[in-house]
Amino acid sequence: MADMLEAPSEGAWGVRLENGYFAVIQKAGFRSVRIPVAFQIHALGNPPYTIDTNFFGRVDGAVKSALDCGLAVVIDLHHYGELRKEPEKHRARFLSIWDRIARHYQNYPDTVYFELFNEPGEGLSPVVWNALVAQTLRVVRQSNPKRAVIIDAPEWANIDGLEKLRLPENDRNLIVTCHYYNPFEFTHQGAVWIGPRADAWLGTRWPSGQVQLTAIQRDFDKIQAWSKLNKRPIYLGEFGAYSKADMKSRASWTAYVARQCEERGFSWAYWEFCSGFGAYDPPARVWREPLLKALVAPPQQ
Ligand code: GLC
């Protein structure tokens, strides 16, 4: 459900969250949604860092609608770029925001998951990130002793960051997440936020030959090896190919990545519902069939 509640204001990035979408998603065969939310945009800049109640209400409406449809929900704190740049300056605010979110949802069912921070990088080096995770968990655990919390791998949730992740050993209700966009020149061709080099990648196909399949398998073997060694479950919280790529390649890449996850027992979330990578076309109110089929088998009638 991207580009909605993590946009500077809802609608600013062209899509709005309609609570009716959750039924559409559930009926198509999905069992969970990841909702990126920019709580930090709607919180005071100074103590006590209160989160705007209207915005909290907006998020609650979405979470409740998803739960009512039987979907599990990941509440993902997204786009807190200032924390990434200046972790020390924003640490107290971040911890307070999580204290508030955690208390707010403490009585929600255990099918609500918290994801502390999307894609730590820059000033959130692996060492700084590991320390912040431990500290944030101490805060969250005061109100949610058992809830499953999702932790991003260091280095932008990249699979190579996994081996630098250090988690509190005694907290066994953690799920580790990484994001997958390889080959990047294929998945991010023409993506404006990447800059002009992404235009040079336009036309890159993903032919699904043995070379391509093996490259993905190797990456997933690496994730699986880490997961087994460290006894932590994996959630592939983002993967997708941007709309500028050709649909045939997008669908075959998407299907292959989703199956790689399933074969290894990883849960996954496609990036994303109805914006630039969208599996769903909001004006037409229809799924883009090749992508939907790539993600989930057609539902039983
Ligand atoms: C990350 C970014 C998001 C971007 C996506 C794919 O989630 O936060 O802005 O669209 O990756 O590049």
Side-chain angles (χ1 to χ4, degrees):
M1 304 299 282
D3 287 4
M4 299 167 178
L5 301 183
E6 86 278 29
S9 63
E10 197 180 342
W13 290 345
V15 283
R16 288 177 171 276
L17 195 151
E18 293 179 20
N19 288 339
Y21 284 158
F22 295 108
V24 171
I25 290 169
Q26 190 273 338
K27 282 203 188 96
F30 295 91
R31 287 180 293 173
S32 67
V33 279
R34 177 175 182 249
I35 310 182
V37 186
F39 284 104
Q40 71 283 357
I41 295 178
H42 306 273
L44 295 179
N46 295 308
Y49 308 117
T50 317
I51 298 171
D52 177 62
T53 44
N54 287 334
F55 184 70
F56 242 141
R58 180 76 187 105
V59 180
D60 292 349
V63 172
K64 283 181 189 146
S65 302
L67 291 173
D68 285 348
C69 292
L71 293 166
V73 183
V74 174
I75 299 175
D76 149 47
L77 189 86
H78 209 99
H79 282 318
Y80 195 167
E82 302 95 325
L83 179 81
R84 221 186 252 131
K85 284 200 179 66
E86 297 181 285
E88 281 321 311
K89 194 170 158 204
H90 284 266
R91 178 184 302 267
R93 184 168 184 259
F94 177 72
L95 293 173
S96 167
I97 288 173
W98 264 112
D99 184 38
R100 287 170 189 283
I101 302 169
R103 284 180 200 285
H104 189 88
Y105 292 108
Q106 62 184 339
N107 295 322
Y108 275 58
D110 57 11
T111 47
V112 172
Y113 298 73
F114 296 155
E115 181 176 342
L116 298 183
F117 184 88
N118 176 67
E119 299 187 344
E122 295 180 59
L124 286 176
S125 64
V127 172
V128 176
W129 173 237
N130 289 334
L132 185 63
V133 166
Q135 207 176 4
T136 315
L137 283 171
R138 283 197 288 277
V139 170
V140 168
R141 290 296 178 223
Q142 285 169 19
S143 53
N144 292 259
K146 294 260 183 266
R147 185 175 305 282
V149 176
I150 298 174
I151 311 290
D152 285 47
E155 299 178 341
W156 306 90
N158 196 288
I159 59 174
D160 295 325
L162 276 174
E163 61 190 27
K164 295 174 193 155
L165 183 63
R166 300 286 176 274
L167 295 171
E169 242 340 280
N170 57 357
D171 192 331
R172 301 318 297 176
N173 292 315
L174 301 178
I175 298 169
V176 171
T177 189
C178 32
H179 296 170
Y180 196 74
Y181 290 108
N182 291 347
F184 200 68
E185 295 80 354
F186 163 65
T187 64
H188 277 68
Q189 57 187 287
V192 276
W193 64 98
I194 302 302
R197 71 190 167 122
D199 284 340
W201 301 335
L202 283 166
T204 308
R205 291 176 177 271
W206 192 75
S208 69
Q210 204 48 52
V211 175
Q212 286 78 20
L213 303 184
T214 307
I216 294 184
Q217 278 165 26
R218 286 219 179 100
D219 285 342
F220 278 78
D221 286 346
K222 208 149 104 180
I223 305 174
Q224 190 174 28
W226 184 90
S227 168
K228 281 192 174 148
L229 183 69
N230 292 277
K231 301 189 176 59
R232 300 289 186 180
I234 298 288
Y235 172 56
L236 199 81
E238 286 187 19
F239 68 103
Y242 193 52
S243 52
K244 299 275 172 71
D246 69 284
M247 185 52 97
K248 187 166 178 285
S249 298
R250 290 173 78 195
S252 42
W253 181 88
T254 301
Y256 194 69
V257 173
R259 298 302 88 75
Q260 288 291 302
C261 289
E262 289 156 7
E263 279 169 22
R264 291 167 165 82
F266 307 163
S267 51
W268 55 255
Y270 177 70
W271 184 268
E272 33 64 34
F273 177 57
C274 69
S275 193
F277 292 71
Y280 184 81
D281 179 352
R285 300 203 165 261
V286 290
W287 288 98
R288 296 192 168 100
E289 282 298 326
L291 288 177
L292 181 65
K293 284 204 184 112
L295 290 165
V296 288
Q300 306 290 319
Q301 291 302 317

